[in-house]
Amino acid sequence: MSTHHEFYLERAAAARRDAEEATLSNVRERCLRAAAAWDEMAARAARTERMRAETEARKAVEAAAMPVPATA
């Protein structure tokens, strides 16, 4: 996984820890909303990385299938 994905997951975990430690309900809710947002960013980063890898693999297959031009 990318470093972005890992960073987002770390931030989500930190937000959850902050939510557990919060004594005020509005602070707890804010931390849980932040954790959900970080989780979504992590999912988006993973999806982007997966799509990029699939595109690169497809292009490599297409490039390998192209005929080699004859030299004169």
Side-chain angles (χ1 to χ4, degrees):
M1 283 291 121
S2 71
T3 56
H4 290 117
H5 178 257
E6 293 167 4
F7 172 77
Y8 298 147
L9 290 176
E10 290 170 6
R11 295 303 305 151
R16 283 190 198 84
R17 283 191 304 274
D18 291 345
E20 290 175 8
E21 296 171 0
T23 56
L24 299 173
S25 62
N26 62 328
V27 174
R28 186 177 316 106
E29 291 170 10
R30 182 192 70 213
C31 291
L32 292 174
R33 284 193 309 271
W38 286 114
D39 284 334
E40 177 57 34
M41 286 185 269
R44 191 176 307 138
R47 196 169 39 249
T48 300
E49 188 173 307
R50 187 172 44 254
M51 290 172 59
R52 184 176 294 125
E54 289 170 359
T55 299
E56 289 175 3
R58 181 180 42 81
K59 286 181 179 181
V61 167
E62 290 172 357
M66 294 188 76
V68 177
T71 56

